[in-house]
Amino acid sequence: MPYIPFTDEQKQLANSVDLAEYLRVRGEKLERVGIEHKLIYYDSSGKHDSITIRGSKWFDHKNQTGGGAIKFMQEFYGMDFQTAVQELLGQTVTPLSHSPPKAIAKEEKKEFRLPEANTNMHRVYAYLIKQRFISPDIISHFAKQHTLYEDKEHHNAVFVGVDENGVPRQASKRSTSTFGNAFRITCEGSDTKYSFSHFGKSSRLYVFEAPIDMMSFLTLYPKDWQQHSYIAMNGVYENAVLTALKNHSNLREIVLCVDNDEGGIEAVDRLRDILHENGYPNVKRLAPEFKDWNECLKSQNGVEPLPAVPHKRKDEYLKEVSELGYLKCRPDKLTSQIYATFKNGQYKYLAEYALAGSAFFIDKSCEKDMFAKLRAKLKAEYKPYTDKGKIAAKQRNLWECVTAVMKDLRQTARTREQSINTAKLLYQLADSAVRLSVEETLSEPLADHIESEDIVCEPEPCMEFG
């Protein structure tokens, strides 16, 4: 990677990212312990929970090391400094490696072994049919494929992931007990490049968070289901999806069927970006009506389902962008308008002036129409998984944008290329102003944000500068 001269402010912003929130978006498992979070993960040596996180700081109690967000990305994901900073600033999307910290990686790798099978599947059938309402035919199909069975020791449901040769490489256990806390755990030694799945001959791959979500969907939509391909990620990890696409050249259309909650909504954008970077542009979103596909199945069987959970930050951002009104740009007044609205904390007006300026420098002959296109571009390009950080960090980012724009506006004569660059800077300023406005709105104690955007299968095409 070429050297990038990050400013001190950019480095500070990257290092101040809220790690717990960031990791949750990336699909990592966290458990709250008082004011801290424990990072829970599994590798070839088993389960690890020695890393605690508080804000942007972390500490590995086993290896007696810790630090800020940048060092975490370097230690836990093996990134170099440049990649780590870009990742934390939301400038790149790097597939998760799930490699453990270097000290842990040296531990002896444990052999993968499937849990011993029970002589029958009575409890698994009873649980999946009576509690989850999954079709007996769907259960039987996977049982005959030996990718679903009941373990002997605890009568858990075992979901198996096999490689391209049909050899088991991964397994997860799901409790079938209706008493106490339910659990789902990945078996020791599992290779996360594989997971519970079915592969057909069509070009379409449906992607789910968990095996029960996948089987619920097949129960809801059973017609010719075996022609298509389906995979359960066991969370929102993309490793198994990328491996499946690599091993099945017929798969060109990906349908993301993750949960309809904050984590799922963020996962859609992140997974879409990763798939695009890996050469798979045909990615669609199919959202369940309720929180997940099993809740939809419960609803059909007379059980009160858990509702979908809107993404408050995304909904508020889209709402505020929609409300941006056109203000005719006055080039001679733009600098003072930007400075005054920034100084007074009038972020909505700041965004309107900045977006009007961007439209003017792109094409002043159709400024109003261009303003509408740029407003639509802001909505189409917004990705909540990149919108992290506290108010202080967003204030610093806005100040950097204002500084860059003020410096640029000092130019008098401009080439076409310089005008486009000015338009880009003003567009980024508008985006940054709205993000800070959203953060302040969401931090208001009595604010109630319940509006949500209807989820569509594909985003509208984004306009390009130039």
Side-chain angles (χ1 to χ4, degrees):
M1 175 180 290
Y3 173 74
I4 301 174
F6 293 110
T7 65
D8 290 340
E9 289 80 5
Q10 286 177 312
K11 295 173 187 176
Q12 185 177 3
L13 178 63
N15 216 30
S16 65
V17 166
D18 188 316
L19 270 176
E21 188 64 27
Y22 176 86
L23 293 171
R24 188 178 287 111
V25 171
R26 294 301 304 256
E28 301 290 3
K29 181 179 179 182
L30 298 165
E31 290 182 359
R32 180 175 286 278
V33 182
I35 61 174
E36 297 183 329
H37 288 85
K38 271 187 180 180
L39 173 63
I40 310 297
Y41 70 97
Y42 301 84
D43 63 16
S44 58
S45 63
K47 178 180 177 180
H48 300 280
D49 62 356
S50 64
I51 297 175
T52 56
I53 296 168
R54 183 188 302 182
S56 62
K57 303 297 182 183
W58 63 279
F59 188 75
D60 185 347
H61 296 268
K62 180 177 180 180
N63 298 292
Q64 293 295 296
T65 184
I70 294 175
K71 186 177 179 182
F72 181 91
M73 304 298 283
Q74 292 174 302
E75 292 288 329
F76 195 71
Y77 292 128
M79 295 181 181
D80 58 30
F81 180 85
Q82 298 279 305
T83 304
V85 173
Q86 280 191 300
E87 183 73 17
L88 291 166
L89 292 176
Q91 296 177 1
T92 61
V93 183
T94 305
L96 296 181
S97 64
H98 291 288
S99 57
K102 297 172 184 176
I104 297 177
K106 297 176 182 177
E107 296 183 10
E108 182 181 355
K109 182 177 180 180
K110 290 195 175 184
E111 182 182 358
F112 171 66
R113 289 185 180 181
L114 288 173
E116 185 178 356
N118 195 30
T119 54
N120 60 63
M121 290 181 59
H122 293 166
R123 293 197 190 183
V124 167
Y125 267 92
Y127 170 73
L128 294 177
I129 294 172
K130 295 180 180 180
Q131 300 296 320
R132 296 295 191 155
F133 305 103
I134 293 173
S135 165
D137 291 339
I138 299 296
I139 301 171
S140 295
H141 171 85
F142 291 102
K144 290 176 183 177
Q145 299 295 318
H146 305 292
T147 55
L148 171 60
Y149 67 93
E150 183 176 311
D151 80 342
K152 182 177 181 179
E153 185 176 4
H154 299 293
H155 303 282
N156 298 310
V158 180
F159 300 94
V160 182
V162 300
D163 65 16
E164 51 274 20
N165 298 313
V167 178
R169 298 293 185 187
Q170 181 268 355
S172 62
K173 294 186 288 187
R174 177 65 165 80
S175 63
T176 58
S177 175
T178 56
F179 302 98
N181 294 325
F183 75 90
R184 185 177 67 207
I185 188 171
T186 301
C187 296
E188 288 186 352
S190 288
D191 187 340
T192 59
K193 294 196 300 293
Y194 303 96
S195 62
F196 183 71
S197 56
H198 166 83
F199 294 103
K201 294 184 178 180
S202 82
S203 61
R204 188 178 302 165
L205 173 65
Y206 293 88
V207 178
F208 302 85
E209 289 191 27
I212 287 179
D213 291 327
M214 174 177 149
M215 297 174 74
S216 298
F217 182 86
L218 299 180
T219 301
L220 289 163
Y221 305 101
K223 185 179 179 181
D224 300 326
W225 73 265
Q226 293 187 43
Q227 295 180 10
H228 308 299
S229 297
Y230 310 82
I231 192 165
M233 297 181 289
N234 289 311
V236 288
Y237 307 133
E238 68 277 359
N239 290 359
V241 177
L242 294 175
T243 300
L245 292 169
K246 179 181 178 182
N247 292 334
H248 298 82
S249 58
N250 59 303
L251 298 176
R252 303 305 304 172
E253 177 186 352
I254 300 101
V255 183
L256 301 176
C257 305
V258 295
D259 292 358
N260 194 357
D261 58 13
E262 285 202 4
I265 292 168
E266 293 196 2
V268 167
D269 287 327
R270 187 179 66 81
L271 291 169
R272 181 183 282 123
D273 285 348
I274 290 172
L275 289 165
H276 283 186
E277 289 183 1
N278 281 272
Y280 297 94
N282 191 359
V283 182
K284 299 178 181 178
R285 162 68 156 149
L286 184 59
E289 179 183 359
F290 302 104
K291 181 182 177 296
D292 58 44
W293 295 103
N294 193 244
E295 296 302 325
C296 295
L297 199 51
K298 287 179 181 178
S299 177
Q300 284 196 358
N301 286 274
V303 176
E304 185 70 24
L306 293 175
V309 181
H311 196 294
K312 293 182 179 179
R313 180 171 281 104
K314 180 176 182 179
D315 291 346
E316 182 63 25
Y317 180 93
L318 297 175
K319 172 178 172 291
E320 293 198 16
V321 170
S322 297
E323 294 173 348
L324 294 178
Y326 168 68
L327 299 171
K328 184 172 178 59
C329 179
R330 293 280 304 277
D332 56 326
K333 300 286 187 181
L334 189 56
T335 299
S336 59
Q337 290 168 337
I338 288 173
Y339 180 75
T341 51
F342 172 74
K343 183 179 179 181
N344 296 327
Q346 298 171 304
Y347 302 126
K348 176 180 179 293
Y349 291 118
L350 173 57
E352 288 175 339
Y353 285 128
L355 208 61
S358 183
F360 174 86
F361 283 105
I362 292 174
D363 189 348
K364 61 183 179 181
S365 67
C366 58
E367 184 183 322
K368 189 172 183 178
D369 289 341
M370 187 59 64
F371 181 92
K373 290 180 180 179
L374 290 174
R375 186 171 52 196
K377 180 179 174 69
L378 281 174
K379 293 176 67 174
E381 290 188 335
Y382 179 74
K383 297 168 184 176
Y385 81 91
T386 67
D387 191 10
K388 300 300 173 184
K390 299 180 180 179
I391 287 181
K394 292 185 178 181
Q395 288 172 333
R396 288 194 298 271
N397 184 60
L398 181 60
W399 169 243
E400 290 176 7
C401 289
V402 168
T403 302
V405 165
M406 301 286 274
K407 180 180 179 180
D408 182 85
L409 290 177
R410 295 193 189 105
Q411 299 180 69
T412 51
R414 296 171 188 272
T415 64
R416 176 59 181 166
E417 183 179 356
Q418 288 172 328
S419 292
I420 293 301
N421 183 64
T422 301
K424 288 181 179 179
L425 291 174
L426 286 162
Y427 175 84
Q428 291 165 2
L429 174 58
D431 175 59
S432 182
V434 175
R435 291 188 185 220
L436 181 53
S437 175
V438 167
E439 203 65 36
E440 291 193 341
T441 301
L442 294 180
S443 67
E444 296 173 5
L446 299 179
D448 185 20
H449 310 280
I450 57 175
E451 297 182 32
S452 62
E453 177 199 33
D454 291 336
I455 295 177
V456 297
C457 286
E458 294 181 273
E460 296 179 4
C462 296
M463 65 168 287
E464 297 293 336
F465 286 96

